[in-house]
Each structure stands twice: as structure tokens, then as C-alpha cells.
Amino acid sequence: MPKIFQVLDKVRPAYDWTYKIVLFICKILLIGDILITSYAVAGRYLGDLTPLLDDPAWSEEVVLTFMSYMAVLSAALAIRRGAHIRMTAFDRYLPKTVLRVLDIIADAAVFALGVIMLTVGWRYATTLGGRGFYVSLPWLSRFWMYFPVPLAGFAMIIFEIEAIYNHIKLFFVKEEEVND
């Protein structure tokens, strides 16, 4: 394996660390969604039986915000795992070199999407989101409703850099050496 790839492979733990953090955030958000939804449903149907349960007005907005974070962050996680949607019908008919070039082109397009999500999403989050507040939580800025888009864009950029590097590496290193 060429020396440059041995040096660049030392960055891999940073990608692993980023992946674990994003995955942990998604897990916490899922747990929060389940708990808040369960409490809201219990409050809606059992609220008359006990004063301890009620259907909080903020539950729907918070659950939807958590879901938007999970949706876009899990898409970034799929990029890291290579589990994103792709067409593979012609893969067995194309030479490996052509497939690698097409993979790099696809990764560059997704990288560009990540940059757009980061820049435009940040602009929306800070301008439009910064001007409004949640209806049921008037003290909470709508920035947090728009923030998942630039956050996911940043995660996509990180994971796409790794994917592009791995595809380029395959031009110079045998696949058996990559998996070691």
C-alpha cells in the first residue's frame, strides 16, 4: 500500500468518532420521541382519570422537530455505511474502473448537496428560523426547527470526504488490502 494512504488512513478514527456521535444523537432523539409520544397519548386518553397525566401542547412540535433531526442525520449515517439508495442494475455489466468513476461522480454530487444543505440551511436557520418561535413554546426559537438541515449537511460533507477518499484509494490499492 502506498505510504500516502497509510498516513491518510490514520484519520479514520475521527470518522468513526463522528459516526458514533451522530448515531448516539439519533438514538437519544428516538428515545425522546417515544417517551414524549407515549406521554401525550396517555395524557390524551387517560388524562381524565388522573391529574398527573395531561396532553402537553408542546408535544407535537417537539416530536416533529426530533423526527426531522433523525431523518436527515440518519441519511448522513447511511452515506457512511454505503446504505443510501443507488441504482445497481448495470453494475455487473460495467468494468470496475467505470463503476469506481461513477461512484466518485455520485459522491461528488452528494458532497455538493451537503454543501448546499450546510450553506442554505444555515442561512434559513439563522434568518427565517431566528425570527420565529414555536407556537406552543414561545420562548424557544424556530432556529432549532431549521437547524437539522445544516447539521446534516455538515455530517454529509464529512462522510462524503471519507467515501470519495475510499473510492480514489481503490484505484491504487487492491480491494483485499483496503479491507485489512
Side-chain angles (χ1 to χ4, degrees):
M1 178 181 311
K3 188 113 176 125
I4 184 73
F5 294 118
Q6 292 174 350
V7 171
L8 291 174
D9 281 345
K10 291 182 181 178
V11 178
R12 186 172 180 84
Y15 292 114
D16 295 338
W17 182 76
T18 305
Y19 181 85
K20 288 176 185 176
I21 288 173
V22 173
L23 183 62
F24 179 76
I25 290 169
C26 285
K27 288 177 181 180
I28 294 298
L29 292 169
L30 179 61
I31 291 168
D33 258 357
I34 291 169
L35 292 175
I36 292 168
T37 303
S38 299
Y39 182 74
V41 169
R44 189 170 297 148
Y45 293 104
L46 303 175
D48 294 336
L49 301 176
T50 175
L52 298 176
L53 286 175
D54 65 343
D55 182 8
W58 52 264
S59 63
E60 184 178 351
E61 284 184 313
V62 172
V63 166
L64 290 174
T65 300
F66 284 5
M67 283 183 173
S68 65
Y69 276 88
M70 285 187 299
V72 292
L73 289 175
S74 62
L77 293 174
I79 289 170
R80 173 89 196 287
R81 291 191 335 263
H84 49 81
I85 297 172
R86 55 177 278 165
M87 293 292 287
T88 59
F90 298 111
D91 285 6
R92 63 178 162 237
Y93 303 113
L94 297 172
K96 283 200 181 278
T97 304
V98 172
L99 281 176
R100 290 179 185 152
V101 169
L102 291 174
D103 283 341
I104 290 171
I105 292 169
D107 284 332
V110 174
F111 180 86
L113 174 65
V115 170
I116 291 167
M117 287 175 65
L118 178 64
T119 56
V120 175
W122 181 255
R123 194 173 328 126
Y124 270 90
T126 56
T127 57
L128 188 62
R131 290 187 197 129
F133 296 92
Y134 282 83
V135 173
S136 60
L137 299 168
W139 51 268
L140 187 60
S141 170
R142 280 199 179 257
F143 167 84
W144 298 107
M145 185 186 340
Y146 292 94
F147 185 63
V149 174
L151 181 65
F154 179 73
M156 288 171 68
I157 290 168
I158 298 297
F159 295 142
E160 277 301 336
I161 290 170
E162 180 188 30
I164 291 169
Y165 165 73
N166 287 334
H167 288 306
I168 291 171
K169 184 177 173 182
L170 286 174
F171 283 107
F172 301 99
V173 178
K174 294 178 186 165
E175 283 192 55
E176 301 83 41
E177 293 179 44
V178 171
N179 297 328
D180 291 339

